[in-house]
Amino acid sequence: MKNVAMIGFGGIAQSHKNAHLRLEAEGKERLVAVCDITPSSFEKRIKINIDTGEESVEGSFNTYTDLEQMLASEQIDVIDICIPSYLHADLAIDMMERGYDVMSEKPMALHHDDCQRMLDAMRRTGRVLMIGQVLHFYPEYACLKQIVSDGRFGKPTSAVFQRFSGLPKWSWENWYHDYDKAGGVISDMLIHDIDMARYLFGTPAFVECNASSKNVKYDCAHVAMGYDFPVTCIGDWSQNGARFKMAYWLGFEKASVILEKGKPTVYPNDGGEPYVPAEYEGGDGMYYQLKYMLELTETGKKNEISTPEGAAETIRIVEAAHKSADMRGERVAL
Protein backbone atom coordinates (compact mmCIF):
# COMPACT_ATOMS: atom_id res chain seq x y z
CA MET A 1 0.00 0.00 0.00
CA LYS A 2 1.42 3.37 -1.02
CA ASN A 3 1.55 6.45 1.17
CA VAL A 4 0.34 9.52 -0.72
CA ALA A 5 0.77 13.22 0.04
CA MET A 6 -0.84 16.13 -1.76
CA ILE A 7 0.83 19.48 -2.43
CA GLY A 8 -1.75 22.18 -3.00
CA PHE A 9 -5.22 22.05 -1.45
CA GLY A 10 -7.23 24.51 -3.50
CA GLY A 11 -10.07 23.96 -5.96
CA ILE A 12 -9.27 20.88 -8.06
CA ALA A 13 -7.46 19.33 -5.10
CA GLN A 14 -10.82 18.68 -3.46
CA SER A 15 -11.71 16.24 -6.26
CA HIS A 16 -8.31 14.60 -5.84
CA LYS A 17 -8.80 14.35 -2.09
CA ASN A 18 -12.20 12.70 -2.43
CA ALA A 19 -10.76 10.13 -4.84
CA HIS A 20 -7.79 9.49 -2.53
CA LEU A 21 -10.12 8.92 0.43
CA ARG A 22 -12.17 6.47 -1.61
CA LEU A 23 -9.03 4.59 -2.57
CA GLU A 24 -7.92 4.63 1.06
CA ALA A 25 -11.26 3.14 2.13
CA GLU A 26 -10.69 0.38 -0.42
CA GLY A 27 -7.26 -0.38 1.06
CA LYS A 28 -5.34 0.78 -2.01
CA GLU A 29 -3.44 3.72 -0.44
CA ARG A 30 -3.06 5.92 2.60
CA LEU A 31 -3.46 9.68 2.21
CA VAL A 32 -1.02 10.63 4.93
CA ALA A 33 -0.67 14.39 4.46
CA VAL A 34 -1.59 17.51 2.52
CA CYS A 35 0.37 20.73 2.23
CA ASP A 36 -0.80 24.21 1.30
CA ILE A 37 0.68 27.62 2.02
CA THR A 38 -2.74 28.96 3.00
CA PRO A 39 -3.87 27.59 6.39
CA SER A 40 -7.53 28.44 5.72
CA SER A 41 -7.58 25.98 2.81
CA PHE A 42 -7.82 23.17 5.37
CA GLU A 43 -10.87 24.73 7.01
CA LYS A 44 -13.13 25.81 4.16
CA ARG A 45 -14.52 24.07 1.12
CA ILE A 46 -13.64 25.69 -2.21
CA LYS A 47 -16.41 25.46 -4.79
CA ILE A 48 -15.23 25.29 -8.39
CA ASN A 49 -16.86 25.12 -11.80
CA ILE A 50 -17.30 21.32 -11.81
CA ASP A 51 -18.57 21.26 -8.23
CA THR A 52 -21.18 18.58 -7.58
CA GLY A 53 -22.28 19.96 -4.25
CA GLU A 54 -21.08 16.81 -2.47
CA GLU A 55 -18.22 16.53 -0.01
CA SER A 56 -16.74 13.37 1.42
CA VAL A 57 -16.03 12.87 5.10
CA GLU A 58 -12.74 14.47 6.11
CA GLY A 59 -9.83 12.06 6.29
CA SER A 60 -7.27 11.51 9.01
CA PHE A 61 -4.35 13.01 7.08
CA ASN A 62 -1.96 15.52 8.61
CA THR A 63 -1.86 19.10 7.34
CA TYR A 64 1.17 21.29 6.73
CA THR A 65 1.92 24.78 5.46
CA ASP A 66 5.62 24.04 5.02
CA LEU A 67 6.64 21.55 2.34
CA GLU A 68 10.03 20.69 3.84
CA GLN A 69 8.42 19.98 7.18
CA MET A 70 5.92 17.62 5.57
CA LEU A 71 8.60 15.75 3.64
CA ALA A 72 10.76 15.40 6.76
CA SER A 73 7.88 14.29 8.96
CA GLU A 74 6.06 11.77 6.78
CA GLN A 75 6.82 8.48 5.05
CA ILE A 76 5.69 9.25 1.47
CA ASP A 77 5.80 7.22 -1.73
CA VAL A 78 3.65 9.28 -4.12
CA ILE A 79 3.29 13.04 -4.44
CA ASP A 80 0.09 14.47 -5.96
CA ILE A 81 0.70 18.02 -7.23
CA CYS A 82 -2.31 20.37 -7.35
CA ILE A 83 -0.64 23.79 -7.39
CA PRO A 84 -0.92 26.63 -9.98
CA SER A 85 0.03 25.67 -13.53
CA TYR A 86 3.15 27.82 -13.82
CA LEU A 87 4.71 25.97 -10.86
CA HIS A 88 4.10 22.40 -12.03
CA ALA A 89 7.36 21.70 -13.83
CA ASP A 90 9.90 22.75 -11.22
CA LEU A 91 8.08 21.06 -8.33
CA ALA A 92 7.51 17.82 -10.24
CA ILE A 93 11.20 17.66 -11.20
CA ASP A 94 12.26 18.39 -7.61
CA MET A 95 9.99 15.65 -6.22
CA MET A 96 11.20 13.04 -8.72
CA GLU A 97 14.80 13.90 -7.97
CA ARG A 98 14.08 13.35 -4.27
CA GLY A 99 12.81 9.87 -5.04
CA TYR A 100 9.03 10.26 -5.18
CA ASP A 101 6.65 9.07 -7.86
CA VAL A 102 4.62 12.04 -9.09
CA MET A 103 1.06 12.71 -10.18
CA SER A 104 0.80 16.28 -11.48
CA GLU A 105 -2.31 18.16 -12.52
CA LYS A 106 -2.70 19.41 -16.06
CA PRO A 107 -1.31 21.28 -17.85
CA MET A 108 1.95 19.39 -17.69
CA ALA A 109 3.62 22.81 -17.97
CA LEU A 110 2.90 26.05 -19.79
CA HIS A 111 5.79 25.56 -22.22
CA HIS A 112 7.01 22.52 -24.11
CA ASP A 113 10.63 23.11 -23.07
CA ASP A 114 9.57 22.61 -19.45
CA CYS A 115 7.76 19.41 -20.40
CA GLN A 116 11.02 18.13 -21.87
CA ARG A 117 12.79 18.92 -18.61
CA MET A 118 10.16 16.89 -16.77
CA LEU A 119 10.56 13.95 -19.13
CA ASP A 120 14.34 14.12 -18.76
CA ALA A 121 13.99 14.01 -14.96
CA MET A 122 11.59 11.06 -15.19
CA ARG A 123 14.05 9.08 -17.32
CA ARG A 124 17.05 10.09 -15.22
CA THR A 125 15.44 9.15 -11.90
CA GLY A 126 13.36 6.19 -13.02
CA ARG A 127 10.33 7.57 -11.18
CA VAL A 128 6.72 7.31 -12.36
CA LEU A 129 5.34 10.58 -13.74
CA MET A 130 1.72 10.96 -14.74
CA ILE A 131 -0.14 14.10 -15.81
CA GLY A 132 -3.78 14.78 -14.94
CA GLN A 133 -5.32 14.65 -18.40
CA VAL A 134 -8.30 13.16 -16.65
CA LEU A 135 -10.61 12.85 -19.68
CA HIS A 136 -8.70 9.71 -20.62
CA PHE A 137 -10.39 8.13 -17.60
CA TYR A 138 -13.85 9.69 -17.75
CA PRO A 139 -16.10 6.88 -19.04
CA GLU A 140 -17.96 9.15 -21.48
CA TYR A 141 -14.64 9.98 -23.17
CA ALA A 142 -12.78 6.70 -22.60
CA CYS A 143 -15.37 4.87 -24.71
CA LEU A 144 -14.51 7.15 -27.65
CA LYS A 145 -10.99 5.74 -27.69
CA GLN A 146 -12.39 2.23 -28.12
CA ILE A 147 -14.84 3.35 -30.81
CA VAL A 148 -12.12 5.08 -32.84
CA SER A 149 -9.61 2.26 -32.34
CA ASP A 150 -11.83 -0.62 -33.37
CA GLY A 151 -13.40 1.23 -36.30
CA ARG A 152 -16.86 -0.15 -35.62
CA PHE A 153 -18.53 2.89 -37.24
CA GLY A 154 -15.97 3.37 -39.97
CA LYS A 155 -13.63 6.30 -40.27
CA PRO A 156 -14.27 9.57 -38.41
CA THR A 157 -15.74 12.32 -40.57
CA SER A 158 -16.03 15.24 -38.13
CA ALA A 159 -15.58 16.15 -34.47
CA VAL A 160 -16.55 19.08 -32.27
CA PHE A 161 -15.52 19.30 -28.62
CA GLN A 162 -16.96 22.01 -26.39
CA ARG A 163 -16.22 23.18 -22.85
CA PHE A 164 -17.93 26.17 -21.21
CA SER A 165 -17.55 27.73 -17.77
CA GLY A 166 -17.68 31.08 -16.06
CA LEU A 167 -14.33 32.73 -15.35
CA PRO A 168 -12.65 30.97 -12.39
CA LYS A 169 -12.84 33.22 -9.33
CA TRP A 170 -11.72 30.87 -6.57
CA SER A 171 -7.98 30.69 -7.24
CA TRP A 172 -5.17 31.73 -4.91
CA GLU A 173 -4.36 35.39 -5.61
CA ASN A 174 -6.53 35.08 -8.75
CA TRP A 175 -3.68 33.40 -10.61
CA TYR A 176 -6.13 32.08 -13.23
CA HIS A 177 -6.61 35.67 -14.38
CA ASP A 178 -2.90 36.10 -15.11
CA TYR A 179 -2.19 34.91 -18.66
CA ASP A 180 1.49 34.34 -17.89
CA LYS A 181 0.57 32.00 -15.01
CA ALA A 182 -2.46 30.18 -16.42
CA GLY A 183 -2.38 30.61 -20.20
CA GLY A 184 -6.02 31.65 -20.41
CA VAL A 185 -8.79 29.26 -21.33
CA ILE A 186 -6.59 27.52 -23.93
CA SER A 187 -3.99 26.18 -21.49
CA ASP A 188 -6.29 25.66 -18.54
CA MET A 189 -9.63 24.33 -19.79
CA LEU A 190 -9.60 23.82 -23.54
CA ILE A 191 -6.44 21.77 -23.14
CA HIS A 192 -8.69 18.87 -22.12
CA ASP A 193 -10.35 18.78 -25.53
CA ILE A 194 -7.19 19.50 -27.52
CA ASP A 195 -5.57 16.62 -25.66
CA MET A 196 -8.56 14.35 -26.32
CA ALA A 197 -8.42 15.09 -30.06
CA ARG A 198 -4.70 14.24 -30.04
CA TYR A 199 -5.36 11.07 -28.02
CA LEU A 200 -8.02 9.93 -30.48
CA PHE A 201 -6.58 11.06 -33.81
CA GLY A 202 -2.87 11.76 -33.31
CA THR A 203 -0.99 15.04 -33.72
CA PRO A 204 -2.65 17.36 -36.25
CA ALA A 205 -0.71 18.83 -39.16
CA PHE A 206 -1.58 22.37 -38.05
CA VAL A 207 -3.80 24.45 -35.80
CA GLU A 208 -5.74 27.66 -36.39
CA CYS A 209 -6.95 29.48 -33.29
CA ASN A 210 -9.30 32.43 -33.11
CA ALA A 211 -9.42 33.82 -29.58
CA SER A 212 -10.94 36.81 -27.82
CA SER A 213 -10.31 38.55 -24.51
CA LYS A 214 -13.40 39.80 -22.69
CA ASN A 215 -12.46 39.58 -19.00
CA VAL A 216 -8.91 38.22 -19.20
CA LYS A 217 -6.58 37.48 -22.08
CA TYR A 218 -7.87 34.68 -24.32
CA ASP A 219 -10.89 33.69 -22.26
CA CYS A 220 -12.64 32.37 -25.37
CA ALA A 221 -10.97 30.28 -28.06
CA HIS A 222 -12.02 28.25 -31.09
CA VAL A 223 -9.29 25.91 -32.31
CA ALA A 224 -9.45 24.20 -35.71
CA MET A 225 -7.14 21.19 -35.81
CA GLY A 226 -5.55 20.02 -39.04
CA TYR A 227 -6.71 16.48 -39.68
CA ASP A 228 -8.12 15.12 -42.94
CA PHE A 229 -11.62 15.79 -41.58
CA PRO A 230 -12.96 18.80 -39.62
CA VAL A 231 -12.08 18.89 -35.91
CA THR A 232 -12.91 21.91 -33.77
CA CYS A 233 -12.34 22.50 -30.05
CA ILE A 234 -14.24 25.34 -28.39
CA GLY A 235 -13.46 26.70 -24.92
CA ASP A 236 -15.16 29.65 -23.27
CA TRP A 237 -14.67 31.37 -19.92
CA SER A 238 -16.23 34.62 -21.13
CA GLN A 239 -19.95 33.90 -20.67
CA ASN A 240 -20.84 35.63 -17.42
CA GLY A 241 -23.00 33.43 -15.22
CA ALA A 242 -22.38 30.35 -17.36
CA ARG A 243 -22.55 26.97 -15.67
CA PHE A 244 -19.93 24.37 -16.48
CA LYS A 245 -20.78 22.27 -19.53
CA MET A 246 -18.80 19.82 -21.62
CA ALA A 247 -20.06 18.19 -24.81
CA TYR A 248 -18.95 16.53 -28.01
CA TRP A 249 -20.33 15.59 -31.40
CA LEU A 250 -18.38 13.00 -33.39
CA GLY A 251 -19.36 11.90 -36.88
CA PHE A 252 -18.33 8.57 -38.40
CA GLU A 253 -19.12 6.91 -41.71
CA LYS A 254 -21.84 4.76 -40.15
CA ALA A 255 -23.02 6.68 -37.09
CA SER A 256 -22.72 9.77 -34.92
CA VAL A 257 -21.68 9.69 -31.26
CA ILE A 258 -22.92 12.59 -29.16
CA LEU A 259 -22.38 13.40 -25.49
CA GLU A 260 -25.71 14.60 -24.10
CA LYS A 261 -27.22 14.55 -20.62
CA GLY A 262 -23.96 13.16 -19.31
CA LYS A 263 -23.95 10.00 -21.43
CA PRO A 264 -22.56 9.17 -24.89
CA THR A 265 -25.28 8.22 -27.33
CA VAL A 266 -24.86 6.47 -30.70
CA TYR A 267 -27.13 7.53 -33.57
CA PRO A 268 -26.85 4.98 -36.40
CA ASN A 269 -26.94 6.33 -39.95
CA ASP A 270 -29.39 3.59 -40.94
CA GLY A 271 -32.10 5.10 -38.77
CA GLY A 272 -31.86 2.52 -36.01
CA GLU A 273 -32.72 3.38 -32.43
CA PRO A 274 -30.15 5.51 -30.57
CA TYR A 275 -28.26 3.64 -27.85
CA VAL A 276 -25.53 4.04 -25.25
CA PRO A 277 -22.31 2.17 -26.17
CA ALA A 278 -22.16 -1.22 -24.44
CA GLU A 279 -18.75 -0.57 -22.89
CA TYR A 280 -19.84 2.69 -21.28
CA GLU A 281 -20.11 2.56 -17.51
CA GLY A 282 -20.54 5.66 -15.42
CA GLY A 283 -18.11 6.60 -12.72
CA ASP A 284 -15.65 9.19 -11.41
CA GLY A 285 -12.81 9.82 -13.84
CA MET A 286 -10.64 11.30 -11.10
CA TYR A 287 -10.96 8.10 -9.08
CA TYR A 288 -10.09 5.94 -12.09
CA GLN A 289 -7.12 8.17 -12.90
CA LEU A 290 -5.60 8.04 -9.44
CA LYS A 291 -6.30 4.31 -9.18
CA TYR A 292 -4.40 3.77 -12.43
CA MET A 293 -1.50 5.89 -11.19
CA LEU A 294 -1.26 3.75 -8.06
CA GLU A 295 -1.26 0.60 -10.20
CA LEU A 296 1.67 1.97 -12.19
CA THR A 297 3.67 2.56 -9.01
CA GLU A 298 2.74 -0.83 -7.52
CA THR A 299 3.29 -3.03 -10.57
CA GLY A 300 5.80 -1.17 -12.72
CA LYS A 301 3.63 -1.82 -15.77
CA LYS A 302 3.83 0.44 -18.80
CA ASN A 303 1.55 3.47 -18.89
CA GLU A 304 -0.69 2.95 -21.91
CA ILE A 305 -3.59 5.29 -21.17
CA SER A 306 -2.21 8.68 -20.15
CA THR A 307 1.48 8.99 -20.94
CA PRO A 308 3.63 11.97 -19.98
CA GLU A 309 5.04 11.94 -23.51
CA GLY A 310 1.50 12.37 -24.85
CA ALA A 311 0.83 15.18 -22.37
CA ALA A 312 4.02 16.91 -23.55
CA GLU A 313 2.89 16.62 -27.18
CA THR A 314 -0.42 18.22 -26.19
CA ILE A 315 1.50 21.19 -24.80
CA ARG A 316 3.31 21.51 -28.14
CA ILE A 317 -0.11 21.73 -29.84
CA VAL A 318 -1.37 24.19 -27.22
CA GLU A 319 1.68 26.41 -27.77
CA ALA A 320 0.89 26.42 -31.49
CA ALA A 321 -2.69 27.43 -30.69
CA HIS A 322 -1.42 30.38 -28.63
CA LYS A 323 0.88 31.41 -31.47
CA SER A 324 -2.02 31.25 -33.93
CA ALA A 325 -4.21 33.31 -31.59
CA ASP A 326 -1.48 35.93 -31.37
CA MET A 327 -1.54 36.07 -35.18
CA ARG A 328 -5.34 36.37 -35.26
CA GLY A 329 -6.04 32.88 -36.44
CA GLU A 330 -3.24 32.31 -38.92
CA ARG A 331 -2.31 28.68 -39.50
CA VAL A 332 0.60 27.31 -37.47
CA ALA A 333 2.16 24.11 -38.73
CA LEU A 334 3.14 21.28 -36.45
Side-chain angles (χ1 to χ4, degrees), residues 295-312:
E295 290 173 357
L296 296 179
T297 64
E298 291 278 6
T299 66
K301 71 178 183 180
K302 182 180 179 182
N303 184 344
E304 296 181 342
I305 299 178
S306 184
T307 69
E309 293 85 358

Side-chain angles (χ1 to χ4, degrees), residues 9 40-41 52 65 73-75 77 80 90-91 112 120 127 162-163 167 193 208 214 217 223 230 237 310 325 328:
F9 207 56
S40 62
S41 66
T52 63
T65 56
S73 302
E74 304 285 350
Q75 293 295 318
D77 303 301
D80 185 359
D90 286 343
L91 183 59
H112 189 253
D120 289 344
R127 307 316 309 179
Q162 196 176 74
R163 196 162 299 266
L167 180 67
D193 300 293
E208 297 170 347
K214 179 180 179 181
K217 184 175 179 180
V223 178
W237 273 350
R328 299 186 177 183

Side-chain angles (χ1 to χ4, degrees), residues 139-140 142-144 146-147 150 152-153 248 256-257 263-268 273-282:
E140 53 266 50
C143 71
L144 289 179
Q146 298 178 59
I147 288 170
D150 65 28
R152 72 188 71 170
F153 302 131
Y248 59 68
S256 297
V257 184
K263 291 184 178 181
T265 302
V266 176
Y267 292 87
E273 286 295 316
Y275 63 92
V276 174
E279 63 267 46
Y280 170 77
E281 294 182 7

Side-chain angles (χ1 to χ4, degrees), residues 149-175:
S149 296
D150 65 28
R152 72 188 71 170
F153 302 131
K155 295 179 181 179
T157 57
S158 65
V160 176
F161 298 92
Q162 196 176 74
R163 196 162 299 266
F164 289 167
S165 170
L167 180 67
K169 296 181 180 179
W170 57 83
S171 60
W172 173 69
E173 295 185 347
N174 275 333
W175 68 268

Side-chain angles (χ1 to χ4, degrees), residues 319-334:
E319 280 195 318
H322 282 285
K323 184 176 180 180
S324 176
D326 291 342
M327 298 189 298
R328 299 186 177 183
E330 287 190 25
R331 179 172 295 184
V332 175
L334 287 154

Side-chain angles (χ1 to χ4, degrees), residues 4 6 16-24 29 80 290:
V4 179
M6 296 176 60
H16 283 245
K17 181 204 71 174
N18 291 345
H20 283 304
L21 293 181
R22 179 179 169 186
L23 289 162
E24 183 174 73
E29 69 160 80
D80 185 359
L290 295 177

